[in-house]
Amino acid sequence: MITLASDFGLAYPAAMKGVVLSRADARLVDVAHDLPRQDVRAAAFWLRETLPYFPPAVHLVVVDPGVGTDRRAVVLRVGDHVFVGPDNGVLRPPSRRVAAELDDADAPAEAYEIDVPNPDSTTFHGRDVFAPAAADAHVVGASALGSVDRFEPIALDSLAECRLPEATVSADGREATGEILVVDDFGNCITNVPGEFVRDAAGDRATLNGESVPVGRTFEAVSRGERLLTVGSHGNVECDVNHGRGDEAFGLAPGDRVELRVD
Protein backbone atom coordinates (compact mmCIF):
# COMPACT_ATOMS: atom_id res chain seq x y z
CA MET A 1 0.00 0.00 0.00
CA ILE A 2 1.11 3.54 -0.78
CA THR A 3 -0.71 6.47 0.83
CA LEU A 4 -0.56 9.90 -0.77
CA ALA A 5 -0.90 13.27 0.93
CA SER A 6 -0.20 16.72 -0.49
CA ASP A 7 -1.35 20.31 -0.80
CA PHE A 8 -1.68 19.94 -4.57
CA GLY A 9 -5.45 20.12 -5.00
CA LEU A 10 -6.66 18.79 -8.35
CA ALA A 11 -4.76 17.19 -11.24
CA TYR A 12 -1.21 17.09 -9.85
CA PRO A 13 -1.84 14.06 -7.59
CA ALA A 14 -2.96 12.09 -10.67
CA ALA A 15 0.48 12.58 -12.23
CA MET A 16 2.12 11.17 -9.09
CA LYS A 17 -0.21 8.18 -9.21
CA GLY A 18 0.63 7.58 -12.84
CA VAL A 19 4.34 7.50 -12.06
CA VAL A 20 3.85 5.13 -9.12
CA LEU A 21 1.63 2.75 -11.09
CA SER A 22 4.11 2.67 -13.98
CA ARG A 23 6.77 1.38 -11.59
CA ALA A 24 4.90 -0.67 -8.98
CA ASP A 25 1.77 -2.77 -8.58
CA ALA A 26 0.56 -0.97 -5.47
CA ARG A 27 -2.72 -0.17 -3.84
CA LEU A 28 -2.96 3.63 -3.70
CA VAL A 29 -4.88 5.40 -0.94
CA ASP A 30 -5.43 9.17 -0.97
CA VAL A 31 -5.14 10.65 2.52
CA ALA A 32 -5.71 14.27 1.48
CA HIS A 33 -4.64 16.61 -1.29
CA ASP A 34 -6.16 19.73 0.23
CA LEU A 35 -3.75 20.15 3.12
CA PRO A 36 -3.15 23.84 3.89
CA ARG A 37 -0.98 25.19 1.08
CA GLN A 38 2.74 25.35 1.89
CA ASP A 39 1.99 24.96 5.62
CA VAL A 40 4.44 22.36 6.88
CA ARG A 41 3.27 22.56 10.49
CA ALA A 42 -0.41 22.10 9.67
CA ALA A 43 0.37 19.18 7.37
CA ALA A 44 2.53 17.60 10.06
CA PHE A 45 -0.36 17.88 12.54
CA TRP A 46 -2.97 16.32 10.26
CA LEU A 47 -0.66 13.51 9.18
CA ARG A 48 0.31 12.83 12.78
CA GLU A 49 -3.38 12.36 13.54
CA THR A 50 -4.08 10.22 10.47
CA LEU A 51 -1.20 8.01 9.32
CA PRO A 52 -0.85 5.94 12.52
CA TYR A 53 -4.29 4.44 11.78
CA PHE A 54 -2.95 2.76 8.64
CA PRO A 55 -1.38 -0.67 8.54
CA PRO A 56 2.27 -0.75 7.42
CA ALA A 57 2.58 1.21 4.20
CA VAL A 58 4.73 3.60 2.21
CA HIS A 59 3.52 7.13 2.99
CA LEU A 60 4.19 9.61 0.19
CA VAL A 61 3.97 13.15 1.60
CA VAL A 62 4.49 16.29 -0.48
CA VAL A 63 4.02 19.65 1.20
CA ASP A 64 7.14 21.26 -0.12
CA PRO A 65 7.47 25.07 -0.16
CA GLY A 66 11.22 24.61 -0.69
CA VAL A 67 10.88 22.55 -3.88
CA GLY A 68 13.84 23.05 -6.21
CA THR A 69 16.13 24.37 -3.48
CA ASP A 70 18.93 22.52 -1.71
CA ARG A 71 16.56 20.94 0.83
CA ARG A 72 17.01 17.18 0.76
CA ALA A 73 14.59 14.56 -0.50
CA VAL A 74 14.45 11.75 2.05
CA VAL A 75 13.10 8.33 2.92
CA LEU A 76 12.45 7.55 6.58
CA ARG A 77 11.70 4.08 7.92
CA VAL A 78 9.97 3.37 11.23
CA GLY A 79 9.32 -0.33 11.72
CA ASP A 80 7.44 -1.47 8.63
CA HIS A 81 6.25 2.03 7.78
CA VAL A 82 8.17 4.10 5.23
CA PHE A 83 7.81 7.87 4.83
CA VAL A 84 8.90 9.59 1.61
CA GLY A 85 9.02 13.35 1.20
CA PRO A 86 10.98 16.58 1.55
CA ASP A 87 13.37 17.06 4.45
CA ASN A 88 11.53 20.05 5.88
CA GLY A 89 10.19 18.47 9.05
CA VAL A 90 6.79 17.39 7.73
CA LEU A 91 7.63 13.69 8.15
CA ARG A 92 8.79 13.89 11.75
CA PRO A 93 5.57 14.28 13.80
CA PRO A 94 3.72 11.47 11.98
CA SER A 95 6.74 9.17 12.10
CA ARG A 96 7.19 9.81 15.83
CA ARG A 97 3.53 9.01 16.46
CA VAL A 98 3.83 5.80 14.45
CA ALA A 99 6.91 4.86 16.48
CA ALA A 100 5.02 5.51 19.70
CA GLU A 101 2.08 3.38 18.51
CA LEU A 102 4.46 0.52 17.72
CA ASP A 103 5.45 0.47 21.40
CA ASP A 104 8.64 -1.31 20.42
CA ALA A 105 11.95 0.21 21.45
CA ASP A 106 13.71 -2.12 19.01
CA ALA A 107 11.59 -1.21 15.97
CA PRO A 108 14.00 -0.45 13.10
CA ALA A 109 14.46 3.23 12.32
CA GLU A 110 16.66 4.54 9.51
CA ALA A 111 16.87 7.39 7.05
CA TYR A 112 18.11 7.84 3.50
CA GLU A 113 18.69 10.75 1.18
CA ILE A 114 17.33 10.29 -2.32
CA ASP A 115 20.03 10.95 -4.90
CA VAL A 116 18.41 13.16 -7.53
CA PRO A 117 21.04 14.42 -9.97
CA ASN A 118 18.77 15.89 -12.67
CA PRO A 119 15.02 15.85 -11.98
CA ASP A 120 12.82 16.64 -14.96
CA SER A 121 11.31 19.63 -13.17
CA THR A 122 12.48 21.99 -10.42
CA THR A 123 8.88 22.68 -9.40
CA PHE A 124 7.22 19.24 -9.31
CA HIS A 125 9.37 16.88 -7.25
CA GLY A 126 6.19 15.09 -6.17
CA ARG A 127 6.04 13.59 -9.66
CA ASP A 128 9.72 13.45 -10.57
CA VAL A 129 11.43 12.58 -7.27
CA PHE A 130 9.09 11.40 -4.53
CA ALA A 131 6.67 9.26 -6.54
CA PRO A 132 9.48 7.14 -8.08
CA ALA A 133 11.11 6.80 -4.67
CA ALA A 134 7.85 5.70 -3.08
CA ALA A 135 7.37 3.12 -5.82
CA ASP A 136 10.90 1.80 -5.33
CA ALA A 137 10.39 1.59 -1.56
CA HIS A 138 7.17 -0.37 -2.11
CA VAL A 139 8.85 -2.80 -4.50
CA VAL A 140 11.84 -3.65 -2.29
CA GLY A 141 10.02 -3.45 1.06
CA ALA A 142 10.82 -1.59 4.26
CA SER A 143 13.56 -3.97 5.33
CA ALA A 144 15.52 -3.63 2.07
CA LEU A 145 15.58 0.13 1.48
CA GLY A 146 19.38 0.04 1.53
CA SER A 147 19.31 -2.05 -1.65
CA VAL A 148 18.01 0.88 -3.70
CA ASP A 149 21.08 2.40 -5.34
CA ARG A 150 19.93 6.01 -5.11
CA PHE A 151 19.00 5.80 -1.42
CA GLU A 152 22.04 7.03 0.50
CA PRO A 153 22.04 6.34 4.28
CA ILE A 154 22.01 9.42 6.51
CA ALA A 155 21.82 9.95 10.26
CA LEU A 156 18.33 10.11 11.72
CA ASP A 157 19.27 13.10 13.85
CA SER A 158 20.29 15.02 10.72
CA LEU A 159 16.69 15.25 9.52
CA ALA A 160 14.97 18.61 9.69
CA GLU A 161 12.68 18.92 12.70
CA CYS A 162 9.13 20.11 13.09
CA ARG A 163 7.94 19.93 16.67
CA LEU A 164 4.42 21.09 17.34
CA PRO A 165 4.36 23.56 20.24
CA GLU A 166 3.17 22.36 23.63
CA ALA A 167 0.88 24.28 25.96
CA THR A 168 1.94 25.43 29.40
CA VAL A 169 -0.28 24.35 32.29
CA SER A 170 0.05 25.88 35.76
CA ALA A 171 1.07 23.74 38.73
CA ASP A 172 -2.45 23.81 40.16
CA GLY A 173 -3.93 22.75 36.82
CA ARG A 174 -6.25 25.76 36.63
CA GLU A 175 -4.55 27.85 33.97
CA ALA A 176 -3.19 26.94 30.57
CA THR A 177 -1.51 28.99 27.87
CA GLY A 178 -1.32 27.62 24.36
CA GLU A 179 -2.21 28.39 20.78
CA ILE A 180 -4.41 27.36 17.91
CA LEU A 181 -2.63 24.62 15.96
CA VAL A 182 -5.09 24.26 13.08
CA VAL A 183 -8.65 25.06 12.06
CA ASP A 184 -10.54 22.20 10.44
CA ASP A 185 -13.05 22.44 7.60
CA PHE A 186 -15.92 22.83 10.07
CA GLY A 187 -14.26 25.89 11.60
CA ASN A 188 -13.31 24.05 14.80
CA CYS A 189 -10.23 25.66 16.34
CA ILE A 190 -7.95 22.92 17.64
CA THR A 191 -5.61 24.09 20.39
CA ASN A 192 -2.52 22.44 21.79
CA VAL A 193 -4.03 22.43 25.30
CA PRO A 194 -4.52 18.83 26.49
CA GLY A 195 -8.14 17.80 26.77
CA GLU A 196 -7.66 16.72 30.38
CA PHE A 197 -7.51 20.40 31.26
CA VAL A 198 -11.29 20.82 30.81
CA ARG A 199 -12.63 17.27 31.24
CA ASP A 200 -13.76 17.88 34.82
CA ALA A 201 -15.40 21.16 33.79
CA ALA A 202 -17.88 19.54 31.39
CA GLY A 203 -21.32 21.00 32.06
CA ASP A 204 -19.73 24.03 33.68
CA ARG A 205 -17.86 27.02 32.25
CA ALA A 206 -14.24 28.02 31.65
CA THR A 207 -12.57 31.30 30.76
CA LEU A 208 -11.03 31.67 27.32
CA ASN A 209 -9.00 34.83 26.70
CA GLY A 210 -10.99 36.56 29.42
CA GLU A 211 -14.45 35.41 28.26
CA SER A 212 -16.64 32.86 30.01
CA VAL A 213 -17.50 29.95 27.70
CA PRO A 214 -19.53 26.76 28.35
CA VAL A 215 -17.67 23.45 28.41
CA GLY A 216 -19.45 20.45 26.91
CA ARG A 217 -18.73 16.84 26.01
CA THR A 218 -20.66 17.17 22.73
CA PHE A 219 -21.69 19.99 20.41
CA GLU A 220 -25.29 19.49 21.49
CA ALA A 221 -24.38 20.42 25.06
CA VAL A 222 -25.20 24.00 24.03
CA SER A 223 -27.91 25.54 21.90
CA ARG A 224 -27.54 25.83 18.14
CA GLY A 225 -25.22 28.70 17.25
CA GLU A 226 -23.72 28.88 20.76
CA ARG A 227 -20.00 28.75 21.42
CA LEU A 228 -18.39 26.07 23.55
CA LEU A 229 -15.13 24.43 24.55
CA THR A 230 -14.89 20.69 24.12
CA VAL A 231 -12.34 17.92 23.73
CA GLY A 232 -11.95 16.91 20.11
CA SER A 233 -11.08 13.56 18.60
CA HIS A 234 -7.41 14.59 18.62
CA GLY A 235 -7.46 14.78 22.43
CA ASN A 236 -7.00 18.55 22.63
CA VAL A 237 -9.28 21.38 23.70
CA GLU A 238 -11.26 22.84 20.81
CA CYS A 239 -13.05 26.19 20.45
CA ASP A 240 -16.24 25.30 18.59
CA VAL A 241 -19.79 26.34 17.78
CA ASN A 242 -22.79 24.04 17.67
CA HIS A 243 -23.85 24.18 14.00
CA GLY A 244 -21.45 27.04 13.30
CA ARG A 245 -17.82 28.02 12.82
CA GLY A 246 -15.63 28.43 15.87
CA ASP A 247 -12.97 30.42 14.04
CA GLU A 248 -15.50 33.11 13.13
CA ALA A 249 -17.30 33.15 16.47
CA PHE A 250 -14.14 33.30 18.55
CA GLY A 251 -12.11 35.37 16.07
CA LEU A 252 -9.27 32.84 16.11
CA ALA A 253 -6.81 31.59 13.51
CA PRO A 254 -3.84 29.19 13.50
CA GLY A 255 -1.00 30.54 15.63
CA ASP A 256 -3.25 32.72 17.83
CA ARG A 257 -2.57 32.60 21.55
CA VAL A 258 -5.20 31.14 23.88
CA GLU A 259 -5.35 31.53 27.64
CA LEU A 260 -7.67 29.18 29.50
CA ARG A 261 -8.77 29.05 33.11
CA VAL A 262 -11.01 26.65 34.98
CA ASP A 263 -12.25 27.13 38.56
Side-chain angles (χ1 to χ4, degrees):
M1 179 189 300
I2 299 178
T3 72
L4 299 95
S6 75
D7 58 355
F8 288 164
L10 298 174
Y12 295 117
M16 292 197 298
K17 292 178 183 180
V19 170
V20 169
L21 292 174
S22 70
R23 301 171 68 105
D25 182 13
R27 177 186 178 191
L28 303 184
V29 178
D30 290 307
V31 174
H33 294 295
D34 56 355
L35 293 169
R37 297 288 172 86
Q38 301 185 333
D39 190 335
V40 170
R41 192 179 86 163
F45 171 84
W46 289 118
L47 296 174
R48 185 191 72 175
E49 301 301 322
T50 304
L51 296 185
Y53 290 96
F54 280 88
V58 175
H59 304 293
L60 171 55
V61 177
V62 193
V63 175
D64 191 17
V67 62
T69 68
D70 59 359
R71 68 94 187 90
R72 297 182 297 186
V74 296
V75 177
L76 170 60
R77 176 192 178 192
V78 178
D80 291 328
H81 289 260
V82 177
F83 299 82
V84 179
D87 185 24
N88 59 13
V90 70
L91 304 180
R92 298 297 270 153
S95 65
R96 278 195 293 267
R97 177 65 62 82
V98 165
E101 294 292 331
L102 290 175
D103 194 26
D104 181 1
D106 296 322
E110 54 195 21
Y112 300 85
E113 180 175 1
I114 305 168
D115 182 19
V116 190
N118 293 298
D120 291 341
S121 169
T122 58
T123 62
F124 196 3
H125 283 186
R127 179 194 64 194
D128 300 333
V129 177
F130 300 122
D136 290 348
H138 173 81
V139 169
V140 302
S143 63
L145 295 176
S147 67
V148 180
D149 289 342
R150 58 201 184 89
F151 290 179
E152 300 292 335
I154 57 175
L156 280 168
D157 61 8
S158 74
L159 294 175
E161 267 295 356
C162 174
R163 289 193 178 274
L164 300 173
E166 296 183 1
T168 300
V169 180
S170 63
D172 62 7
R174 291 187 173 184
E175 297 180 350
T177 301
E179 65 179 84
I180 304 299
L181 291 177
V182 294
V183 175
D184 69 17
D185 287 346
F186 293 97
N188 301 321
C189 299
I190 302 169
T191 78
N192 61 350
V193 178
E196 289 74 12
F197 182 77
V198 298
R199 285 193 196 278
D200 293 339
D204 203 342
R205 303 181 75 87
T207 301
L208 170 69
N209 292 348
E211 294 185 80
S212 179
V213 182
V215 179
R217 296 186 186 278
T218 68
F219 299 113
E220 293 293 333
V222 298
S223 300
R224 183 181 289 249
E226 188 176 356
R227 302 186 304 174
L228 78 156
L229 301 177
T230 191
V231 180
S233 62
H234 313 295
N236 295 347
V237 175
E238 292 186 9
C239 309
D240 303 337
V241 171
N242 183 17
H243 287 84
R245 294 192 62 90
D247 54 345
E248 295 174 357
F250 286 95
L252 292 171
D256 284 354
R257 178 184 176 95
V258 291
E259 295 182 353
L260 290 167
R261 178 176 177 80
V262 293
D263 294 322

